[in-house]
Structure formats: C-alpha cells, structure tokens
Amino acid sequence: MKNFLFRCYLRWMKFLCVFTGMVDSKVVILNGAGRSGSNGYVFYKWMLLNHPEMKTVLVEPWPSSHLSWATWQEIASARWIITTHQPFKVKKHQINIQLWHGVPLKRMGTMANNTKRRDNQRNEKLWHTTADCVASSSDWYETLMSSCMGIESRKYRKIGFPRLDALKHPIISRDELLKDLFKAENVDPKAKIGIYMPTFRYEMESADIMEQIKAGNFFAFADFDGAALNQALKEQNTYLIVKLHPWEMRLFDNLASHYSNIAFLNNDYLNEHDYDLYELLGDTDFLMTDFSSIYFDYLLLDRPIIFIDNYLDQYEKTRGLLMGPYAEITPGIKAGSQAEVLAAINQPDSAHWQAERKRWRQLTQQVEGDYCQNLFDYMMRP
C-alpha cells in the first residue's frame, strides 16, 4: 500500500511541475546511496570542484515524500537527472543517466527468489521508458544487469563509475583515519587496516541473525568473542573497521566501540566530514565481505579480500546469487568462523589469489581513465 501511495505522489508532483522551464546547464543528482560508495555523491563533489559553471544540485535522501516544493522545481528544471537507484525524470525531454550503486552479485529484479512478477514487470517498464543512459564498466556488467532488469543493450555506455575515482585518491591519510576512528596515534607504519562490509542481512528473514547482531556479534559467528577478537587483532598489529548496513547499525544501542582495535564506521561520521566511504577505502589493506558487490570495486586496489560464508546456504535460498559456485567466483580466502577469519588475516597474500583478482578485474573492469570525467564528457557530447 505504501508503494502504491508513493507512486501516486510521484505522479502528482510530476503533473504539478509540468510547466517548469528547463535549464540546459543544470544537473540534479538524486542520491539514494547515502555515503556508502555513492556514484552520485562522488560525481556531485567532482562537479562542484571542476565545473562551477554548471548548476549541480544534490537531492537526498531519495526517494522521499518529504521534499519541498523548491526542491521539486529544481528537479523539474534540470536538463540532466542522475540517479543511483531506479530511473526517474519529470519530463520526457530531460535526460536520465542511471549510475546504479553496485555491480550485481546478488540476484535482483526478475532473477531474485524473493520478488513478485508484477513488481518486476513494472520495474522493467520503468527502465525501458525512463533511463536514457546506463553507465557500464564491462560487457559482463551489462549481461548481469539486463538479466535482472531487462535493460536494452543500446542504453549502455561504457563510461565506468564515478565512485571508483575515489578509490584511487583517499581523502585523508592512514594516520588520520586511525586517529579519527580508533583514537590511535603514532601507530606502527606496518600496521594493517581492514574493513568488514557485509551485505543487508535482514532480508535473510532470520530473527536469530538479527539478535546476534543486536547483541554485538557483528559477524553472526557461532564462536564470536569480541574481547578475544580484539586481542588477536592487537597481537597481529591489525585494526578492523566495521561498516554495517545502516539498518543493522541502528540495532546497536551504542555505536562507540570499547575495543582498541575494532571501530564502527557509521554514517554520522561520513556525513559530518562530507566523506564518501570510497574516499577512505584506499587507506585499507584488506576487505572482508560476504555477498556484497563491493568486492568487484575493491579489485582495483589489488589487495586481499576475505569472504565470510557462514550464511551462504541460507542467503542463496532466500535471495540467491547471479553466479556460482560461490567458491569459484570469489577471489579470496573463505571464512565461516572467527578462528578462520583470524587465520586468514595472518596469512600472507598468495600468488594464487593475486592471479585470481587480476582475472576478475579484467573481466569486470574494461573501462579506464577518470570516471567522473568520462561521465561529464558523455553529457557534453554534441
């Protein structure tokens, strides 16, 4: 019912904005990706710095039923509407550029196990009628996206994703990151910084998993022991950043970690400093994730990735993965327990995994150059 009412709201606002004139130099970015690897937010910052002659407006959160009339007029008067989730524009002659918010590893749309046919058909029609350009990184990406959303091949443009520019240029130093998140100073330069970023686990529909996370077991491991984990990390000269999905972070009563070598990275920190998560990832030495597509982007850094697979069977049953077997499509050590995680962190990066990361990087990243510049050049083409 809420989705139906919101669609009615969007139609009504479009009707009210129909007579608003368009400005060729105006770009509106509808950012639904927050600060967790948002193509829209990274491109917005780049536009402000590099093209002040353009009027670039950031609208967030999106979608929202609480936007002001002035904001709707900004949206309606823009020539360019850039989206990170579903395509959107107010008028036919506006140009929608769809950046999406991740390379799909998890099933979605038509391919997902937990979606409805009517919703999938509505979404496919929306992509067909509204998206003018879909940013792409490779043939492989286009195949996955089209299998889920029914996107026509003519809509893709291999311009890459703006968020990847942020990977190459960390906005602060490693020392500053350690000081901000861990209150640590004069840290051994050889110390490692890892980040754990799981996918949205609520959709596994398991009360047990949510209870474990709420209790502080952010891995949802059967052998989880926070104090022991922290001590082992300390002995391994390693700091671990935990970046959970925003919904999961709300389960914690206190986001401030009482551990010396484990810190929670939440959206408040990113928003207060005007950072995107990807502007910090370049400072890390390894990534831990489960079924999140972030690992495809992290391949550009060519650093170790540890894959947490303790709920693999349950996730494949509930939503599913677009490819498999999981062990063959994930170029890194697999860990299903705290003991295995600590062993993986302590293991040197092997030539085997380096070769696997290179193979997957070549498959998924066929676009080079500055990605924000690629997008701008596409927009300004004759």
Side-chain angles (χ1 to χ4, degrees):
M1 184 62 177
K2 286 184 178 179
N3 289 337
F4 172 75
L5 292 176
F6 186 70
R7 291 196 299 271
C8 290
Y9 163 76
L10 292 180
R11 292 191 191 101
W12 176 243
M13 297 311 298
K14 287 181 180 182
F15 173 76
L16 293 178
C17 293
V18 69
F19 295 112
T20 304
M22 285 196 298
V23 179
D24 286 339
S25 60
K26 180 177 285 188
V27 181
V28 164
I29 298 169
L30 305 180
N31 182 33
R35 298 288 184 271
S36 296
S38 170
N39 285 309
Y41 183 64
V42 171
F43 186 62
Y44 168 72
K45 293 178 72 173
W46 184 87
M47 286 289 289
L48 293 184
L49 181 64
N50 293 277
H51 291 283
E53 78 280 4
M54 302 286 287
K55 175 66 183 297
T56 306
V57 178
L58 181 71
V59 176
E60 58 180 4
W62 176 266
S64 172
S65 58
H66 302 288
L67 301 180
S68 67
W69 174 240
T71 299
W72 273 108
Q73 288 184 305
E74 294 277 24
I75 296 171
S77 61
R79 171 65 64 184
W80 307 91
I81 303 290
I82 296 177
T83 48
T84 62
H85 284 66
Q86 296 287 44
F88 181 83
K89 56 186 177 183
V90 174
K91 305 170 185 176
K92 182 173 66 172
H93 296 297
Q94 290 180 309
I95 301 173
N96 172 249
I97 298 179
Q98 172 54 248
L99 299 181
W100 203 235
H101 52 280
V103 179
L105 172 62
K106 301 172 290 187
R107 288 175 177 257
M108 59 183 183
T110 302
M111 292 293 291
N113 298 333
N114 56 353
T115 56
K116 298 178 180 178
R117 177 173 174 79
R118 182 175 61 182
D119 293 336
N120 294 334
Q121 290 175 322
R122 184 186 301 115
N123 286 333
E124 289 184 10
K125 182 179 179 181
L126 180 63
W127 283 82
H128 174 73
T129 58
T130 307
D132 297 294
C133 166
V134 180
S136 166
S137 61
S138 64
D139 296 335
W140 177 82
Y141 174 82
E142 294 170 16
T143 299
L144 294 181
M145 286 293 290
S146 290
S147 71
C148 296
M149 300 298 188
I151 304 167
E152 302 98 319
S153 61
R154 62 181 176 81
K155 290 183 179 289
Y156 291 107
R157 296 293 183 275
K158 286 186 176 65
I159 54 180
F161 306 119
R163 64 177 180 264
L164 300 184
D165 284 337
L167 283 179
K168 298 178 288 185
H169 307 290
I171 199 166
I172 59 176
S173 69
R174 287 167 55 91
D175 287 343
E176 290 174 306
L177 182 63
L178 288 168
K179 183 177 180 181
D180 280 357
L181 298 185
F182 298 90
K183 312 304 179 192
E185 299 187 65
N186 302 316
V187 175
D188 181 353
K190 295 182 180 179
K192 292 189 293 186
I193 304 174
I195 185 166
Y196 171 51
M197 288 191 62
T199 192
F200 184 36
R201 292 171 288 186
Y202 177 77
E203 64 185 346
M204 285 193 282
E205 301 174 351
S206 171
D208 177 63
I209 295 175
M210 292 299 102
E211 285 301 317
Q212 291 185 64
I213 295 171
K214 187 175 182 179
N217 181 359
F218 46 84
F219 280 116
F221 282 153
D223 65 341
F224 181 80
D225 183 326
L229 174 62
N230 185 72
Q231 181 60 33
L233 291 170
K234 193 172 182 179
E235 293 171 359
Q236 293 182 8
N237 199 18
T238 299
Y239 291 85
L240 179 62
I241 301 168
V242 178
K243 176 66 174 74
L244 303 181
H245 188 278
W247 195 94
E248 292 184 1
M249 290 299 285
R250 292 202 300 268
L251 297 177
F252 286 84
D253 293 329
N254 182 5
L255 295 178
S257 170
H258 57 277
Y259 302 118
S260 62
N261 287 56
I262 303 172
F264 294 113
L265 176 58
N266 57 64
N267 286 345
D268 289 343
Y269 172 79
L270 298 171
N271 289 329
E272 288 169 6
H273 292 81
D274 293 325
Y275 297 158
D276 183 87
L277 171 67
Y278 274 47
E279 294 178 302
L280 306 177
L281 280 182
D283 287 328
T284 64
D285 298 289
F286 66 91
L287 166 72
M288 288 194 289
T289 188
D290 47 11
F291 322 116
S292 172
S293 62
I294 189 176
Y295 98 73
F296 293 116
D297 293 345
Y298 202 79
L299 291 171
L300 291 179
L301 295 176
D302 193 22
R303 297 169 191 173
I305 306 172
I306 301 169
F307 292 91
I308 310 300
D309 63 358
N310 54 325
Y311 286 103
L312 174 60
D313 291 342
Q314 189 171 344
Y315 196 86
E316 287 186 317
K317 181 179 179 181
T318 305
R319 177 165 175 174
L321 302 177
L322 283 171
M323 300 176 294
Y326 182 76
E328 300 297 323
I329 64 171
T330 46
I333 298 173
K334 314 304 179 290
S337 67
Q338 180 167 306
E340 291 175 349
V341 162
L342 290 172
I345 292 174
N346 205 33
Q347 187 170 318
D349 191 22
S350 70
H352 168 72
W353 292 125
Q354 290 172 18
E356 284 296 292
R357 293 198 301 268
K358 180 179 180 180
R359 182 170 71 91
W360 279 98
R361 185 172 66 250
Q362 291 173 337
L363 180 65
T364 60
Q365 302 290 347
Q366 297 174 351
V367 182
E368 297 181 356
D370 296 326
Y371 302 104
C372 288
Q373 186 66 55
N374 289 348
L375 173 55
F376 184 76
D377 289 345
Y378 169 78
M379 293 167 60
M380 296 297 107
R381 75 197 190 293

